[in-house]
Amino acid sequence: MPRLRLAHLPTPLEEAKALSQALGGPRILFKRDDLTGVGLGGNKVRKLEFIMARALAEGADTLIVCGGYQSNLARITAAMAKRAGLRVELVLGGVPGEPRLRQGNLLLDELMGASVTFVETVPRWDFGDSLEQVADKVRAQGHVPFIMPLGGSGPEGMAGYIFATLEMREQFAAQALKPDRLVVGIGSGGTYSGLSLGVLNTDIGYRLTGISVSRTRDYLLESIPLAARHGATELGLTNAPVAADLDIHDEYVGEGYGTLTPASAEAIRLVAQAEGVFLDPVYSGKAMAGLIGLIRRGHIGRDETVVFLHTGGQPALFAYAAESLLTGARP
């Protein structure tokens, strides 16, 4: 597959001793995919190396990206497009009445000069024909558009996290580690799907646990096997997951995507105070809340070795009120 190599790889695998001690076990390590480099980093960089390479191979000169007002994908795509000489059109949606604060990721989008179209999306991820309308505008201007999948969750995006699995396998061998589990947040499902293909097609050996930040477990148990099976076919892989292979939890979503919960606010504060590492309210904060909750419930044993995949997204912190992060109230 074509690949546009812009990420800073491999990302560090760091021991989180103070956090492990604060929780009374298990042993926790951070896989720091918030440090992938471009546009302040995050898990989307790995995906975009393959997605943007496909766009270039198809002759596109303009990327069309959709996401929420504080989309990490939009911010990182805008930054990587600058490096690759591509134009970018951001289509950012939210439910009626949702504030469009010129802070966090949206501020960075504007600093980079990205073209932004705002739309109301009901339900949240239904962009209707807005992407095609923007594509028509791009064509009328004499350019060639490439519409990116939501969350970068197609086969190319999954490839990024199959390679991440191989990268971790090398790091584990170098550090004589045999992790029992990897924990990651699930949004659109592309990162989790890629990691699940990595588990089933390598000897990595850990159990993959996903913490939903928006969608129900039932929805994900249906959608992820379908998407991963398609990805496996496109990528020439033998094995793909079925629902019974997936360990997914939706108890930590709260009121919905992007809404801070008391548990995620606690997780953000705990990790900042224990490790000096910042999580975001939308993805990694809820994923860490899930990890902590599963430890306290006994679902994750205190004698396990757990890798937490930090997917980035820290700029969104600055779009939340200080009071909500410090007390756990909604923003």
Side-chain angles (χ1 to χ4, degrees):
M1 296 178 65
R3 183 177 182 182
L4 188 66
R5 294 180 179 268
L6 293 176
H8 297 184
L9 300 175
T11 58
L13 181 68
E14 299 178 344
E15 187 101 27
K17 292 183 179 179
L19 178 61
S20 300
Q21 183 176 9
L23 294 171
R27 183 185 185 187
I28 299 173
L29 300 100
F30 288 160
K31 177 59 174 169
R32 295 293 303 273
D33 271 17
D34 58 317
L35 302 179
T36 46
V38 189
L40 297 183
N43 64 320
K44 307 299 186 184
V45 177
R46 290 188 189 268
K47 300 180 180 186
L48 286 165
E49 285 195 328
F50 292 94
I51 297 169
M52 290 176 59
R54 176 184 170 188
L56 287 167
E58 293 183 2
D61 63 7
T62 305
L63 303 174
I64 299 176
V65 187
C66 66
Y69 298 147
Q70 287 294 326
S71 169
N72 296 315
L73 179 64
R75 179 242 313 164
I76 296 170
T77 302
M80 292 181 73
K82 298 294 181 183
R83 298 279 297 274
L86 292 167
R87 301 168 72 251
V88 64
E89 295 276 348
L90 307 182
V91 183
L92 304 182
V95 296
E98 184 177 353
R100 296 200 298 256
L101 301 175
R102 298 177 71 187
Q103 299 171 0
N105 284 319
L106 187 53
L107 172 62
L108 300 179
D109 296 338
E110 294 192 17
L111 281 174
M112 288 184 283
S115 174
V116 181
T117 300
F118 292 109
V119 297
E120 290 187 346
T121 53
V122 181
R124 175 174 289 278
W125 301 120
D126 185 359
F127 284 81
D129 62 354
S130 57
L131 300 180
E132 283 298 336
Q133 289 179 6
V134 173
D136 288 341
K137 180 189 75 172
V138 168
R139 295 184 189 98
Q141 295 170 343
H143 295 284
V144 181
F146 180 91
I147 299 177
M148 292 177 51
L150 179 68
S153 296
E156 289 80 14
M158 293 176 203
Y161 272 90
I162 295 168
F163 276 94
T165 303
L166 300 176
E167 179 180 299
M168 286 188 283
R169 186 174 66 170
E170 292 183 1
Q171 291 177 312
F172 297 160
Q175 298 184 38
L177 289 169
K178 292 185 177 180
D180 301 289
R181 187 181 305 263
L182 186 142
V183 175
V184 65
I186 307 177
S188 56
T191 298
Y192 186 90
S193 295
L195 289 167
S196 70
L197 291 173
V199 168
L200 291 170
N201 291 280
T202 73
D203 60 353
I204 195 70
Y206 52 57
R207 181 171 177 80
L208 178 63
T209 295
I211 310 297
S212 176
V213 305
S214 56
R215 294 174 168 89
T216 67
R217 179 175 182 272
D218 287 344
Y219 173 88
L220 293 169
L221 289 178
E222 181 177 350
S223 64
I224 286 177
L226 290 173
R229 192 177 308 121
H230 173 65
T233 299
E234 291 295 311
L235 299 171
L237 299 174
T238 303
N239 301 313
V242 296
D245 296 320
L246 308 181
D247 182 24
I248 294 175
H249 299 264
D250 62 3
E251 309 96 296
Y252 305 94
V253 170
E255 294 185 26
Y257 175 84
T259 59
L260 193 68
T261 66
S264 59
E266 177 199 5
I268 290 168
R269 292 194 302 271
L270 177 60
V271 173
Q273 293 166 14
E275 298 290 343
V277 171
F278 301 108
L279 306 178
D280 79 296
V282 182
Y283 292 97
S284 57
K286 285 186 178 178
M288 178 57 70
L291 171 57
I292 294 170
L294 294 175
I295 293 169
R296 290 172 177 169
R297 288 165 44 192
H299 183 85
I300 294 178
R302 295 184 186 271
D303 59 345
E304 291 189 31
T305 296
V306 178
V307 177
F308 177 81
L309 181 63
H310 189 338
T311 52
Q314 295 95 324
L317 278 168
F318 302 105
Y320 285 68
E323 292 80 3
S324 64
L325 290 167
L326 295 174
T327 65
R330 290 186 63 203

